[in-house]
């Protein structure tokens, strides 16, 4: 958090895209990239962004645009980052 002001000064805003984590689309990846990602996930068990352990909120506060990997369709969630988001609480 101490470096947040520095990061904000160094980032360039993209007017049409809000800062934060965006998940790409598995089906739009070419087969070579899909194979590369499957190999990575087999070896490491999580995406590079998830391995960094940077909270999604910090990415947004820093004004950064980060692309998270979509996971293969046989993996239960579309994103390991999304899996880590708090689930909405029931207010009944």
């Amino acid at each position: 958090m101490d470096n947040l002001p520095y990061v904000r000064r160094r980032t360039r805003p993209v007017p049409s895209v809000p800062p934060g984590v965006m998940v790409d689309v598995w089906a739009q990846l070419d087969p070579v990239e899909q194979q590369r990602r499957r190999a990575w996930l087999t070896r490491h068990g999580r995406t590079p962004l998830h391995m960094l352990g940077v909270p999604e909120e910090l990415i947004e506060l820093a004004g950064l645009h980060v692309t998270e990997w979509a996971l293969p369709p046989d993996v239960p969630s579309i994103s390991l980052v999304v899996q880590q988001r708090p689930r909405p609480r029931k207010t009944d």
Side-chain angles (χ1 to χ4, degrees):
M1 286 291 219
D2 293 341
N3 294 326
L4 194 55
Y6 171 77
V7 172
R8 282 189 176 156
R9 285 192 308 270
R10 302 295 295 178
T11 59
R12 294 186 178 100
V14 179
S16 61
V17 181
V21 178
M22 313 310 164
V23 180
D24 61 11
V25 179
W26 178 264
Q28 293 177 352
L29 301 172
D30 64 67
V32 173
E33 179 62 15
Q34 288 179 356
Q35 184 178 8
R36 187 184 76 78
R37 288 187 186 190
R38 279 188 186 275
W40 173 280
L41 292 167
T42 298
R43 188 172 34 247
H44 300 286
R46 43 194 182 152
T47 67
L49 182 59
H50 191 235
M51 288 180 76
L52 286 173
V54 177
E56 188 175 357
E57 294 78 18
L58 185 57
I59 292 169
E60 291 175 10
L61 286 171
L64 298 174
H65 304 271
V66 177
T67 301
E68 170 63 315
W69 290 2
L71 299 178
D74 54 326
V75 173
S77 175
I78 62 167
S79 166
L80 292 172
V81 167
V82 172
Q83 281 182 315
Q84 301 305 314
R85 290 180 182 161
R87 298 190 189 278
R89 294 182 185 169
K90 291 184 180 180
T91 56
D92 296 347

